[in-house]
Amino acid sequence: MGKVVLKAKNRQKFGSAESRRIRRAGRIPAVLYGRSGKSTSIDLDALEFTRGTKGISESTIVQVEIEGKAHDAFVKKTQRNIIDGNILHIDFYEVESGVTLRAKVSIILSGNPIGVREGGMLEKPVSEIEVECLPKDLPERIEMDISDLKANHSIHVRDLPLGEGIKLLTSPDQVLALVKFAKAEAAPVAAAAEAAPAAAAAAAPAPEKKA
């Protein structure tokens, strides 16, 4: 997948009335925040943004082209209308080539674990990790096949296939996936075992009374 390019315009007017006018024109008001703290108010085509960013993750770097000048950035926040779901505002955070950055990367676990096929339950406590690297080395997501994961076994952050130049910030001992048998399954078995002697005693004939 090639880099997403979003064409934007500088905004000269501000305020809620101007934002509504921009949205009626089929565009979205936005702000590009630079690494130095400088911010640039822009607006961009709503349809182009929706189509271009479909399926991207929080660690995907897009290119925001403001009147011919390109800026690499993250889509850090999208504000939506709670009624119709339309995007009201976007925050972009610029990244600088050659400068180390920190970002959260989504973890995609695929495959049907052996332990699940044997009746266990899969738990995935974590869906993303934090890393530090150069923009060029930042992965959009990290995928891992867990088909060989057995019951009562687990996979940790340290087991992930990280690329060169990526420093892990999340604890390497953090569990990503584990398969275990549900405690609820053991409870009926224990209850049945306890009930068996009582049922046997109830079924036994009562002793005869002596005259």
Side-chain angles (χ1 to χ4, degrees):
M1 178 179 175
K3 183 177 290 186
V4 176
V5 178
L6 304 169
K7 294 185 177 181
K9 296 179 181 179
N10 280 308
R11 272 194 293 149
Q12 305 300 333
K13 298 180 181 180
F14 308 96
S16 56
E18 178 63 14
S19 294
R20 287 194 295 270
R21 186 196 67 78
I22 291 172
R23 297 186 194 106
R24 286 196 299 269
R27 302 181 68 80
I28 306 171
V31 174
L32 173 67
Y33 293 95
R35 290 180 59 89
S36 62
K38 178 184 176 181
S39 62
T40 304
S41 296
I42 58 177
D43 65 75
L44 60 160
D45 185 87
L47 186 57
E48 180 185 66
F49 176 82
T50 301
R51 288 177 175 174
T53 59
K54 185 178 181 180
I56 71 171
S57 68
E58 187 179 337
S59 61
T60 302
I61 297 177
V62 302
Q63 188 176 91
V64 182
E65 190 177 292
I66 306 174
E67 299 180 3
K69 185 176 181 181
H71 304 263
D72 286 341
F74 293 122
V75 180
K76 294 301 289 185
K77 184 179 180 181
T78 55
Q79 180 185 349
R80 293 180 179 272
N81 186 309
I82 60 174
I83 297 175
D84 56 24
N86 289 331
I87 299 175
L88 300 176
H89 190 273
I90 307 166
D91 284 344
F92 293 98
Y93 279 66
E94 187 175 15
V95 298
E96 187 177 345
S97 178
V99 177
T100 301
L101 57 83
R102 292 186 175 189
K104 292 183 178 179
V105 181
S106 297
I107 305 300
I108 307 298
L109 303 177
S110 61
N112 187 19
I114 293 174
V116 172
R117 299 198 296 271
E118 293 175 344
M121 294 183 64
L122 175 64
E123 293 186 6
K124 298 184 286 186
V126 176
S127 61
E128 62 183 19
I129 61 170
E130 188 174 12
V131 300
E132 183 178 85
C133 62
L134 294 173
K136 67 180 182 65
D137 297 324
L138 182 65
E140 290 190 24
R141 56 185 61 84
I142 299 174
E143 300 184 11
M144 187 173 188
D145 188 347
I146 58 172
S147 300
D148 294 333
L149 183 59
K150 299 178 181 179
N152 299 321
H153 286 69
S154 58
I155 292 175
H156 301 80
V157 167
R158 60 175 173 267
D159 301 317
L160 287 171
L162 297 179
E164 291 290 332
I166 300 178
K167 179 182 178 182
L168 185 64
L169 298 181
T170 300
S171 170
D173 297 325
Q174 171 66 54
V175 174
L176 289 175
L178 70 156
V179 175
K180 62 182 183 180
F181 288 99
K183 293 180 180 179
E185 293 179 4
V189 174
E194 292 176 1
E208 294 183 0
K209 294 182 179 180
K210 292 183 179 181

